[in-house]
Amino acid sequence: MQFSFAQEDPITPLPIKAVKDTIVAPLLPPNILNDSILIDSINQDSSQNKKPLLLDKIKYKAKDYVRLSQKDNKIYLYNEAEIYYQDTELKAGIIIMDYVKNEVYAGRIKDSTGTYSQLPYFKQGDNIVIPDSIRFNFDTQKALIWNSRTEQQAGAGALGTDAMKVLAEITKKENDSVYFLKSARLTTSKDTVDPDYYIKIHKAKFVPGKKIIAGFSNMYLVDVPTPIALPFAYFPLTVGRTAGLIFPTFTQDPNRGFAIQNGGYYFPINDYVDFSILGDFFTNGSYGFRTQSIYTKRYRYRGNINFRYENQITSQKGFDDFSRSTLYNIQISHQQDPKASPNSRFSAQVNLGSSQYFTNSFNQINVQNTQNNNLSSSISYSKTFPEYPSVNVSLTATHNQNISSNATPDTDNISLTLPTLQASMERIFPFAKRDGIKKGLIQNVNFQYNVRAENRIRTNDEDFLTGRMFENAQLGARHTLPLNTNFKVAKYFSVSVGGNYEDIWTAQTFQRGLDPNNPDSNAEVVLDTINGFDRYNRYGLSASIGTTLYGTFNFGEDKKIQAIRHVMRPSIGWGYTPSFEQFYDSYTDLNDEEVLFSRFEGTLNGAPSLNKSNSISFSLQNTLEAKVRDKDSTKLEPKKIKLLSNLNFSTAYNFEADSLKLAPIGFNGGTSILNNKMNINFSGSLDPYTIDNNGRRINTFNVSNGGSLLRLTRASMNLSYSLNNETFKKKSKDDEDNNESELNDEYRARSGGRTDDLFGFGLNDDTFNRNSSKNEDDIENPIYGTTIPWDLRMQFTTSYNNSNRQNEFGTASLMFSGNISPSPRWSVRVSSGYDFIGKGFAQTQLGFQRNLKSFDLRFNWVPFGRNERWDFFIGISSSILSDLKWESRSQRIR
C-alpha cells in the first residue's frame, strides 16, 4: 500500500487537500518509524500551557500504527483508523490529527493495485457523511468535505428507497445544522455510484433532517439532462408529517375543456389527526373537491372520513347538449381497539352518496367500483352487561342504496334504519346448575329473550337528507322468547323440541274499506292510517330428530382406490303454527263479497298468518370421500379425496293445506376436482306437481299427467378454475399450500379484498395516496428459459328456468382474468368475459406495469363498453419526489 504527502514548512503546517483521490498531507519526519515517544507524552508538549478548548477526551486507535510527532504537533493513524470525540465519530483508512489546532485530516488508502478502500465515515449526532476525504476542526465544529455521500430519511415513516441520497463534490459544514453544497446531486435511487436519475444542483444550503434550499436545479436521466429544470428548488427532508402542497395533474376533457386535477394541500393537525384537501377545476366551469381526514390513537381507535363533491357541467351554455349535475360521496370508517373497552364497542362503516357517483365521477379510475350496484353503511354501538344473566344491547343505524343502472332519482332506492335497537339476554337453563354438565330432557330446557325495534325509512335520491324522507317512516318492535330442549334417544338419535313466542308492537296501523262518501260503482278502497300503539302476538311449536349414518366400501389396499366412505345426515322436523283470525277484520265490496284484511298489513313486521300450518320437513345431507393410494411409494398413508363436498336435499309436507301439500324438493351441492383447482357448485328445485295452460301449479302430480316423477323447474351452476405455470409441476404438499397462500394474498392486495380480479382492476381511486406501488428490492433479470410466470382464473355461471315449461337458460357467462410476467420487472394482465345469451363481451380491461427501479410505469385500458377509458402513469416510486410524475387518463365517454 502507498500514500503520498506534499512538502511543508516545518513550522507552519499546510491544510490537507485532495489531488486526484490521493490524500495530500504534511510530510512525515524521517525518524517517524523510529519514534519511541509514548502517546502520553503529549502532555509534555508546550501546548499544555494554553487553555484547553476541548470539552472531552479524544479517543483514537489504528490497526497498523499510531505515531506521534512532537516536531509536527501531529498524530498519524494508519489502516482502520478511528477517532471518537463526544458525539463525533470518524473512521478512515488514514487519519492525521493536529493536536495544536485540534484538527483532523482523514482520507482513503490505496493498495499496490491502485484500488482505494476504507472511505472516511463521519458521524456527528444522527448525521452520517461518507466522503472521499474530510478536514474537521474539533473547536469550531466546522468541516470541509470532498465527494461526500449522505442519506436523509424523509417522509412519514420513510424507509428504503424513500431515503434521499445527497452527493456533493464539495461540502462545507458551517455548524451542526447547516451545510453548504457545491455541484451536488439528489436522488432516491439505490445505486448512488451510477444512479438511473438525479437532480443536479450547483449550489445549495442543506439542513439535515429538515430541508435543502437550492439554486438552479436540473433533472438528469442516466446522466442525460432533461428539460425539467427550475431556477430554484426546495426539498423538504423532515421525518414524519409536514404540511405542504400536493402537485396537481393537467388533463383535458372533450366535454369540459382543459383541467387541473388532484391538486391541493396537506395539513397535519396534530399527532393523531391529519387533513387533506384536493380539487379539480375545468375551463368550462366544472369543479370538484375531495377531503380526507385520518385519525388514530394507539390502543384506542383509528379511522378516516372522506367527503367528495363534484359540480359537473357538460358542454357550454346555449348548446343543446348542455347539462349540469352534482355528485357527492361520503365515506366514514371507524374501528375501536378491542383493548380500549372490553364491554362496549363503537364502529362505523359508511358509504353513501349519489347513485351515479362511481360511474360519472371525474376521478373514478378503479373499474371494479363501476360494477358495484349497492352502497351500504352501518354505524353501531354495543354494550355488554356481564352480570348473570348477561345482557347485550346494541344501537345501529344502517343504510342501503341501490345504484344500479335501472335506479332513477324518483324511485325508492334508498333504505335506512334510524335506528335499530337490539337487546338479548343470555340463554338460561332453569333446571341445571350454571357450572355443571347438562344431561337429559329437563336439564337441557332453556329459554332466551330478544327484542328488536326499528325505525325504517324508504326514500329516493331527491328526498334523501331532507325532511320529506321521514314522511313514510315505519316504527315497530318484535319481542321473541324461544324455549328449547334437546336430548338423545336410543344413543344415536338427537331430538330437539321447542316453541317460540313473539309479541309484535307497532306505532301505526291501517284501516281498509270503501269510501263512504263515494257509494257509486267507481268507489275505491280507502286506506286510513291510524297512529298510535298497537300489538299482536304469534307463536308456534317445533320438533326435530336426526342422526348420522356412515357407510364404507373397502376395495383392498392393493387397489388404486382403497375405500369410499359415504356420510349421511338425515333429519325430520315438525312445525305447527295456528291461524290468527282474531287479528283480521272484513268489509263488503261492491260485489257483496266479504274481503278479509288485517290492520297490521303494511306495518314494519307485517301481519300474522291467516293460514294454519302443520307440516313435516325432510332434509338429507351427504358427503362422499375416497381413500386413494399415493403415487409416492415412500408414503405409507393413503390420500383422502372428497368426491362430493356436500349434496343436500330438502322438502316439506303441510297437512293443513287444502292443496299442493308437498313442497318442491330443493337440492344443492358442491365438489372440487383436478387437484382442487376446479370448484363446482350447483343448486336447483324439483316440483312433483304439474301446471295448467296458464303456467299455474295445480293439485295434480306431474307423473299422473304423463310426465316424469319430478319436474325440474330451476337450476344453476357455478364453475371456477385457477391455474398457473406451477400447476402441472410435481411439488410437495407444503409447496402447494405456500403457493396457494401467496397467490391468494397477491389477488387480495391487487383487488382490495377479493380473491380474483374477474370484475376488473385499476389504480386505487384514493387520490390522496396515488403512489402506492411497493418498492421492491433490486431484481436481477434471470434467464427464464422455457418458464414464464403466469396465472389464469376462470369462472363460468349459468342458470336454467323451466317453471312454465319454457325450457330456457336465463344466463350463461364466462369470466376470466390472467397475469403474465415476461420478465421480473414486467407484469401484463387482462380481465374480460363473454355472455353466451346476450352474445357479447363483458367489461374488458387490459393493463401492464413496469418496475423501472426508481420509477413506476402503469397503463390500464378499457377498450370498449360503457366504461371505455384508459389511464397512464409514470413517476418516481419514492414518496419524497412523488410529484415528479406524468399521468394522463381519458374521461368517460358519455
Side-chain angles (χ1 to χ4, degrees):
M1 297 184 181
Q2 62 179 2
F3 55 92
S4 60
F5 297 92
Q7 298 289 338
E8 73 159 352
D9 189 334
I11 299 177
T12 306
L14 297 176
I16 186 171
K17 62 181 179 178
V19 179
K20 294 183 179 180
D21 293 332
T22 302
I23 297 295
V24 178
L27 185 65
L28 287 171
N31 60 345
I32 183 65
L33 297 178
N34 299 322
D35 193 351
S36 60
I37 301 177
L38 298 176
I39 301 301
D40 292 338
S41 63
I42 188 173
N43 296 326
Q44 301 175 7
D45 191 82
S46 60
S47 60
Q48 66 183 356
N49 296 326
K50 300 179 181 179
K51 184 179 180 180
L53 297 177
L54 295 177
L55 302 178
D56 198 359
K57 292 182 180 180
I58 299 177
K59 301 177 182 179
Y60 50 86
K61 65 178 180 178
K63 182 177 181 180
D64 281 5
Y65 63 77
V66 177
R67 292 293 182 264
L68 171 69
S69 174
Q70 286 185 321
K71 179 180 179 182
D72 301 327
N73 298 324
K74 292 181 176 62
I75 300 176
Y76 299 86
L77 299 90
Y78 186 79
N79 194 8
E80 299 183 10
E82 299 179 12
I83 288 182
Y84 300 92
Y85 172 70
Q86 290 186 331
D87 64 342
T88 302
E89 178 182 340
L90 179 61
K91 301 178 182 178
I94 179 174
I95 296 178
I96 302 174
M97 182 172 64
D98 189 323
Y99 53 80
V100 175
K101 294 183 177 181
N102 290 332
E103 289 184 356
V104 293
Y105 314 92
R108 304 171 293 176
I109 59 176
K110 182 172 65 174
D111 58 17
S112 58
T113 63
T115 302
Y116 286 95
S117 62
Q118 299 188 33
L119 290 171
Y121 173 88
F122 178 75
K123 179 180 179 182
Q124 189 172 34
D126 295 331
N127 299 319
I128 299 175
V129 180
I130 303 177
D132 287 347
S133 57
I134 183 173
R135 173 186 173 188
F136 177 72
N137 188 287
F138 289 107
D139 296 335
T140 63
Q141 299 289 304
K142 294 183 178 181
L144 197 60
I145 307 167
W146 288 268
N147 293 330
S148 65
R149 289 169 290 275
T150 185
E151 182 174 302
Q152 293 290 309
Q153 301 287 345
L159 293 172
T161 54
D162 276 345
M164 176 77 78
K165 283 83 173 179
V166 183
L167 304 93
E169 291 185 6
I170 300 177
T171 302
K172 180 182 178 182
K173 179 180 178 296
E174 188 68 19
N175 51 51
D176 291 342
S177 59
V178 177
Y179 292 74
F180 293 97
L181 310 177
K182 183 178 181 181
S183 298
R185 294 181 297 173
L186 307 180
T187 183
T188 58
S189 174
K190 291 185 178 181
D191 187 357
T192 57
V193 177
D194 188 18
D196 50 0
Y197 91 96
Y198 58 85
I199 299 173
K200 187 174 182 180
I201 55 180
H202 293 278
K203 292 183 180 180
K205 180 181 179 180
F206 172 35
V207 181
K210 291 186 178 181
K211 59 188 175 182
I212 296 177
I213 303 174
F216 180 77
S217 305
N218 189 196
M219 185 174 180
Y220 281 66
L221 295 177
V222 198
D223 292 328
V224 177
T226 68
I228 303 176
L230 292 172
F232 59 89
Y234 176 86
F235 302 92
L237 299 176
T238 52
V239 176
R241 304 175 302 165
T242 56
L245 293 171
I246 300 175
F247 200 73
T249 301
F250 301 93
T251 60
Q252 182 182 7
D253 188 329
N255 294 320
R256 299 187 180 93
F258 293 96
I260 299 176
Q261 290 187 269
N262 299 324
Y265 202 82
Y266 173 78
F267 304 88
I269 298 176
N270 54 38
D271 292 340
Y272 308 104
V273 184
D274 66 2
F275 180 78
S276 302
I277 181 169
L278 298 176
D280 307 322
F281 177 76
F282 293 80
T283 53
N284 78 329
S286 300
Y287 65 89
F289 65 89
R290 291 167 300 287
T291 63
Q292 182 184 63
S293 178
I294 300 176
Y295 58 90
T296 180
K297 193 169 185 179
R298 184 176 296 180
Y299 307 125
R300 297 295 299 276
Y301 51 78
R302 64 183 305 162
N304 63 78
I305 302 174
N306 301 338
F307 177 72
R308 307 173 183 185
Y309 177 85
E310 295 179 5
N311 180 47
Q312 297 186 353
I313 299 175
T314 303
S315 186
Q316 299 287 340
K317 286 186 177 180
F319 288 88
D320 295 336
D321 59 347
F322 174 80
S323 65
R324 182 194 298 269
S325 62
T326 58
L327 301 175
Y328 70 94
N329 180 253
I330 301 173
Q331 295 181 0
I332 301 174
S333 175
H334 178 89
Q335 296 178 353
Q336 178 180 309
D337 193 296
K339 295 183 289 293
S341 178
N343 294 325
S344 64
R345 184 171 183 83
F346 176 79
S347 64
Q349 295 291 333
V350 176
N351 187 7
L352 60 87
S354 303
S355 297
Q356 302 300 317
Y357 178 83
F358 287 101
T359 55
N360 294 344
S361 171
F362 295 147
N363 289 281
Q364 185 50 253
I365 56 179
N366 194 328
V367 181
Q368 284 180 314
N369 286 337
T370 63
Q371 307 303 297
N372 188 9
N373 292 325
N374 184 271
L375 297 180
S376 60
S377 307
S378 175
I379 302 175
S380 65
Y381 172 78
S382 63
K383 185 173 180 61
T384 301
F385 300 91
E387 295 78 8
Y388 181 83
S390 65
V391 177
N392 182 269
V393 180
S394 66
L395 198 65
T396 307
T398 64
H399 151 265
N400 191 280
Q401 183 174 357
N402 179 18
I403 60 172
S404 60
S405 57
N406 57 2
T408 59
D410 57 346
T411 58
D412 290 343
N413 62 328
I414 301 177
S415 176
L416 305 102
T417 58
L418 299 175
T420 298
L421 171 66
Q422 296 186 88
S424 62
M425 183 182 66
E426 74 168 294
R427 193 175 302 275
I428 296 177
F429 294 82
F431 304 110
K433 295 181 179 180
R434 290 174 53 186
D435 55 351
I437 299 176
K438 303 169 184 64
K439 296 181 179 181
L441 173 66
I442 302 301
Q443 289 188 1
N444 277 291
V445 171
N446 63 86
F447 67 91
Q448 186 180 19
Y449 170 73
N450 302 285
V451 60
R452 178 185 177 93
E454 289 185 42
N455 178 31
R456 187 176 298 173
I457 300 169
R458 288 197 59 86
T459 184
N460 52 47
D461 282 357
E462 292 183 353
D463 297 339
F464 186 49
L465 299 181
T466 66
R468 296 188 301 272
M469 65 182 282
F470 298 99
E471 293 178 355
N472 297 320
Q474 294 179 317
L475 180 62
R478 182 173 64 181
H479 306 262
T480 60
L481 187 66
L483 179 67
N484 296 281
T485 186
N486 59 82
F487 53 93
K488 290 280 189 179
V489 173
K491 189 178 179 180
Y492 299 107
F493 294 91
S494 298
V495 179
S496 176
V497 179
N500 187 64
Y501 175 83
E502 291 185 344
D503 206 85
I504 312 299
W505 296 357
T506 182
Q508 60 183 6
T509 54
F510 302 96
Q511 188 70 32
R512 291 168 174 81
L514 295 178
D515 187 358
N517 299 322
N518 187 13
D520 58 19
S521 60
N522 295 325
E524 296 181 353
V525 176
V526 177
L527 182 67
D528 292 332
T529 302
I530 302 176
N531 293 320
F533 174 79
D534 205 342
R535 59 166 293 276
Y536 69 88
N537 60 349
R538 56 189 177 191
Y539 46 86
L541 300 174
S542 64
S544 66
I545 181 171
T547 187
T548 302
L549 303 176
Y550 299 90
T552 304
F553 305 92
N554 295 310
F555 301 102
E557 296 184 358
D558 57 336
K559 303 293 184 180
K560 175 65 177 178
I561 300 177
Q562 298 180 0
I564 292 178
R565 187 176 75 163
H566 182 202
V567 181
M568 295 185 296
R569 294 181 174 87
S571 176
I572 301 176
W574 170 77
Y576 173 78
T577 303
S579 176
F580 299 94
E581 297 94 346
Q582 64 271 31
F583 300 110
Y584 278 79
D585 299 315
S586 64
Y587 68 90
T588 304
D589 62 9
L590 296 176
N591 298 323
D592 292 331
E593 294 183 358
E594 186 180 23
V595 179
L596 293 176
F597 75 93
S598 173
R599 64 184 183 276
F600 298 101
E601 292 178 4
T603 59
L604 178 67
N605 294 291
S609 176
L610 189 60
N611 299 320
K612 184 179 180 181
S613 175
N614 183 15
S615 62
I616 293 180
S617 61
F618 306 89
S619 67
L620 177 62
Q621 300 178 5
N622 299 269
T623 59
L624 201 63
E625 297 178 322
K627 280 187 177 182
V628 181
R629 189 177 68 248
D630 201 299
K631 294 181 179 180
D632 189 354
S633 60
T634 61
K635 294 185 176 180
L636 302 178
E637 294 294 331
K639 291 194 304 182
K640 290 184 179 180
I641 298 176
K642 285 192 175 183
L643 302 180
L644 272 177
S645 300
N646 60 84
L647 178 60
N648 308 319
F649 299 92
S650 62
T651 186
Y653 187 87
N654 188 359
F655 294 98
E656 297 293 336
D658 55 357
S659 63
L660 303 174
K661 295 185 177 183
L662 184 61
I665 301 175
F667 66 90
N668 62 81
T671 187
S672 298
I673 60 175
L674 302 178
N675 198 21
N676 295 327
K677 292 295 182 181
M678 176 177 284
N679 296 318
I680 303 174
N681 294 282
F682 54 89
S683 64
S685 178
L686 300 170
D687 195 344
Y689 295 103
T690 187
I691 57 175
D692 60 15
N693 294 330
N694 295 323
R696 295 177 300 183
R697 299 175 69 210
I698 58 176
N699 196 32
T700 302
F701 288 110
N702 193 59
V703 66
S704 301
N705 197 37
S708 58
L709 179 63
L710 299 171
R711 182 169 55 90
L712 180 64
T713 57
R714 63 170 182 85
S716 63
M717 184 174 62
N718 181 293
L719 291 87
S720 61
Y721 186 48
S722 300
L723 67 162
N724 53 42
N725 58 290
E726 301 291 335
T727 300
F728 307 104
K729 291 183 179 181
K730 293 183 179 180
K731 51 192 173 183
S732 64
K733 186 179 185 302
D734 292 339
D735 293 338
E736 292 176 357
D737 295 340
N738 291 337
N739 289 340
E740 188 71 20
S741 177
E742 292 174 0
L743 194 62
N744 289 337
D745 291 343
E746 179 186 352
Y747 297 157
R748 291 187 183 97
R750 180 167 58 248
S751 56
R754 287 186 57 90
T755 56
D756 58 62
D757 50 10
L758 296 174
F759 292 93
F761 47 82
L763 302 180
N764 193 326
D765 66 333
D766 184 2
T767 51
F768 298 95
N769 300 287
R770 292 162 293 179
N771 295 279
S772 59
S773 60
K774 60 181 180 180
N775 298 315
E776 299 178 351
D777 295 335
D778 192 17
I779 303 174
E780 297 295 335
N781 288 323
I783 299 176
Y784 273 5
T786 58
T787 302
I788 296 178
W790 60 269
D791 58 76
L792 178 65
R793 291 162 305 285
M794 295 179 291
Q795 182 171 310
F796 176 76
T797 59
T798 183
S799 63
Y800 172 78
N801 189 10
N802 192 34
S803 59
N804 195 17
R805 293 198 178 97
Q806 61 267 46
N807 191 25
E808 64 179 12
F809 284 91
T811 60
S813 60
L814 174 67
M815 305 294 292
F816 60 89
S817 66
N819 295 267
I820 185 171
S821 298
S823 71
R825 295 186 180 275
W826 274 107
S827 176
V828 182
R829 51 189 179 176
V830 62
S831 173
S832 184
Y834 187 78
D835 186 352
F836 295 95
I837 304 299
K839 299 187 183 303
F841 280 94
Q843 181 163 275
T844 301
Q845 191 174 5
L846 304 172
F848 68 81
Q849 184 169 352
R850 169 69 173 172
N851 184 339
L852 298 171
K853 292 187 177 181
S854 299
F855 292 84
D856 278 337
L857 174 67
R858 299 191 297 264
F859 178 76
N860 289 324
W861 179 36
V862 180
F864 53 82
R866 183 167 60 95
N867 296 303
E868 179 181 347
R869 66 185 69 185
W870 57 265
D871 58 78
F872 176 83
F873 172 87
I874 183 171
I876 295 177
S877 304
S878 173
S879 61
I880 302 175
L881 299 175
S882 59
D883 290 333
L884 289 177
K885 61 181 172 58
W886 182 63
E887 58 181 327
S888 180
R889 63 175 179 264
S890 66
Q891 298 293 331
R892 190 177 72 88
I893 297 177
R894 305 178 188 280

